[in-house]
Amino acid sequence: MKSPLQIGLFGFGTVGQGLYDVLRRTPGLQSEIKRICVKDHTKQRPIDASAFTYSASDIIEDPDVDVVVELIDDADAAYEIVRASMKYGKAVVTANKRMVSTRLPELLELQRQTGCPLLYEASTCGSIPIIRNLEEYYDNDLLSGITGIVNGTTNFILTHLTRRGADGGYESALREAAARGFAESDPTLDVEAYDAAFKTVILTAHAFGAIIDVNSVVRRGITAIAPFDVRVAASMGSVVKLLSRVVIRDGGVSAVAIPTFVPEGNALASISHEVNGVRLDAAFSEAQLMVGKGAGGGPTASAVLSDISALRYGYRYEYRKLKGSEVPTLNNHVDVVAYVRGARSIIEAIPWKQRRIDVRSTDGDYIIGTVELSSLRESTAFDDAETFVALVLED
Ligand SMILES: NC(=O)c1ccc[n+]([C@@H]2O[C@H](COP(=O)([O-])OP(=O)(O)OC[C@H]3O[C@@H](n4cnc5c(N)ncnc54)[C@H](OP(=O)(O)O)[C@@H]3O)[C@@H](O)[C@H]2O)c1
């Protein structure tokens, strides 16, 4: 690739502007933004209007553009941009986890057909270099599990609820997360754990070589949480975190994105605010933890920039694990320990295998016990807006 590298940028929001600033403040990167494609003609921009276009083809069909960097908040439009760019022979870098996780088979086929690389480190855990590590370092059969705080917004809210005693804190913490630029444009994606589920799919592919449908991730958000739940967790020596967790058991892989009681002694418990953390469990290296900013313009842009730099030396994902002979299949028929607080009739109806604790109180009734993950997901409790469901982490 030529120097300076010419970037065609799609999107000039939190991450797009973050990338612009990082490039401007870091001379010697040998990369410059040639053109920026945005959508809204009426928006005031902080830089000169001549930098912008509203036509995707101005970038995709520009022979001087070496790399297309896709940083928009619309997954379907993003896919069309990525597809057209690769068909035009461009390398692509994206941060769009929804697009990557829901279109992975098509994106693999596009890479095969066009020979163009597609990198997406920023899509999962912002600045933490997890995807490249999973690709390059960890051998498939040694990894047994991956557990992460992968969503900055929910970790920010849960940290506030835990530290401020929760009363009235949920809405203000969400507003603050949005104001600081690490909530998704549609915060439902964060608080209902869609974002964490998208990242779970990407982690599963790169950690274990299994492509799973995003709808098969057992997903539950944090909107039903009450101060009472935070206090119950504390009484058990735990804090509530939204965890993405993929675990190998009996040759299969179970995948969740769900609130979880995490014991205070577990390193993930102390990861607070918008910071993300990923714990990798492997046979010989045992537990390892990677921690870093998971959202926000600067941290996310740093991962985008790292991908751009990697393209210079011809880096691409090899997806070796996908081609392995022992790719695990999805298996959510595994036993988990769950905490469920809600109406008596609803929590009683869960097909518990064993009840450890059953509490009736004026603040709420709850049961902690063992249940099969897939049965929990199919229970009425799992879809009820008033019922809070969390797993209980015991390792
Ligand atoms: N924010 C984070 O911390 C973070 C972290 C990791 C990954 N990501 C991912 O990064 C991507 C961008 O997120 P963001 O927070 O930067 O979003 P954002 O602040 O909402 O900005 C979105 C940008 O995309 C542009 N856009 C939307 N549709 C377009 C289209 N069809 N053609 C051209 N431009 C279009 C918008 O244009 P206008 O300016 O004209 O409205 C805007 O500039 C998303 O995929 C997100 O999931 C974000």
Side-chain angles (χ1 to χ4, degrees):
M1 283 181 177
K2 60 184 181 292
S3 204
L5 199 78
Q6 299 291 308
I7 296 168
L9 175 62
F10 282 85
F12 202 63
T14 303
V15 187
Q17 290 192 42
L19 180 67
Y20 182 88
D21 289 341
V22 170
L23 280 170
R24 197 170 45 89
R25 283 165 32 197
T26 323
L29 285 176
Q30 298 299 310
S31 304
E32 58 192 35
I33 294 172
K34 180 149 194 263
R35 207 88 192 268
I36 306 167
C37 181
V38 283
K39 189 176 174 186
D40 184 346
H41 293 249
T42 62
K43 226 184 230 179
Q44 290 291 320
R45 308 284 171 185
I47 59 172
D48 196 81
S50 61
F52 295 96
T53 175
Y54 300 91
S55 163
S57 58
D58 283 352
I59 287 178
I60 295 169
E61 294 171 20
D62 181 343
D64 290 337
V65 168
D66 305 297
V67 181
V68 167
V69 177
E70 181 285 300
L71 300 174
I72 73 170
D73 59 344
D74 173 337
D76 292 332
Y79 177 69
E80 291 311 319
I81 290 163
V82 170
R83 193 171 66 90
S85 301
M86 291 173 77
K87 292 221 165 203
Y88 227 84
K90 312 270 189 219
V92 177
V93 173
T94 178
N96 200 315
K97 49 257 167 166
R98 182 179 205 147
M99 190 255 313
V100 173
S101 61
T102 55
R103 307 274 198 162
L104 202 46
E106 294 103 303
L107 294 171
L108 288 168
E109 182 56 20
L110 267 172
Q111 289 174 78
R112 197 192 60 75
Q113 271 176 13
T114 64
C116 294
L118 170 71
L119 299 181
Y120 41 84
E121 188 64 69
S123 68
T124 307
C125 299
S127 65
I128 302 176
I130 184 64
I131 297 176
R132 230 179 295 166
N133 263 291
L134 290 172
E135 273 290 295
E136 301 307 315
Y137 186 82
Y138 294 94
D139 194 274
N140 191 24
D141 57 1
L142 294 180
L143 266 182
S144 56
I146 179 159
T147 307
I149 294 169
V150 301
N151 179 270
T153 302
T154 46
N155 203 38
F156 187 84
I157 295 170
L158 291 171
T159 302
H160 278 252
L161 295 186
T162 304
R163 296 195 181 161
R164 287 185 192 162
D167 286 316
Y170 183 97
E171 289 300 331
S172 67
L174 176 56
R175 273 197 303 278
E176 194 174 337
R180 293 203 196 182
F182 38 78
E184 288 293 316
S185 318
D186 173 6
T188 310
L189 295 177
D190 294 310
V191 295
E192 293 294 359
Y194 289 101
D195 177 84
F198 297 147
K199 291 165 180 171
T200 305
V201 170
I202 298 171
L203 290 172
T204 305
H206 289 274
F208 301 112
I211 297 186
I212 58 171
D213 189 292
V214 72
N215 296 314
S216 64
V217 176
V218 177
R219 177 191 58 79
R220 177 78 198 191
I222 64 164
T223 46
I225 196 167
F228 180 71
D229 306 313
V230 177
R231 289 200 296 275
V232 173
S235 73
M236 295 168 61
S238 295
V239 291
V240 186
K241 296 286 182 191
L242 181 77
L243 292 190
S244 157
R245 188 161 158 84
V246 189
V247 179
I248 294 278
R249 265 195 250 174
D250 306 328
V253 73
S254 67
V256 300
I258 192 165
T260 307
F261 287 9
V262 181
E264 277 159 13
N266 185 305
L268 290 170
S270 56
I271 294 172
S272 53
H273 300 293
E274 76 275 27
V275 178
N276 283 191
V278 186
R279 193 181 92 173
L280 298 153
D281 288 291
F284 302 119
S285 53
E286 300 184 8
Q288 295 177 314
L289 187 71
M290 298 173 81
V291 180
K293 288 263 169 92
T300 311
S302 85
V304 171
L305 202 55
S306 177
D307 278 349
I308 295 169
S309 303
L311 289 173
R312 281 199 171 283
Y313 56 83
Y315 183 76
R316 59 195 309 135
Y317 302 139
E318 295 292 341
Y319 299 100
R320 279 187 285 269
K321 293 172 193 174
L322 255 66
K323 298 165 194 156
S325 56
E326 289 182 25
V327 174
T329 51
L330 187 85
N331 176 20
N332 285 332
H333 297 285
V334 293
D335 287 350
V336 291
V337 178
Y339 161 89
V340 188
R341 188 261 311 144
R344 184 49 52 186
S345 58
I346 289 182
I347 63 175
E348 288 273 359
I350 294 168
W352 299 101
K353 286 191 169 178
Q354 186 209 2
R355 295 185 195 194
R356 292 187 189 174
I357 300 173
D358 187 341
V359 170
R360 292 169 189 265
S361 90
T362 46
D363 283 328
D365 289 5
Y366 68 87
I367 295 174
I368 297 176
T370 308
V371 59
E372 194 180 280
L373 182 59
S374 48
S375 315
L376 177 65
R377 182 196 211 178
E378 283 156 20
S379 68
T380 311
F382 207 78
D383 289 327
D384 182 59
E386 305 296 319
T387 304
F388 183 64
V389 181
L391 298 189
V392 178
L393 193 64
E394 297 195 297
D395 49 14

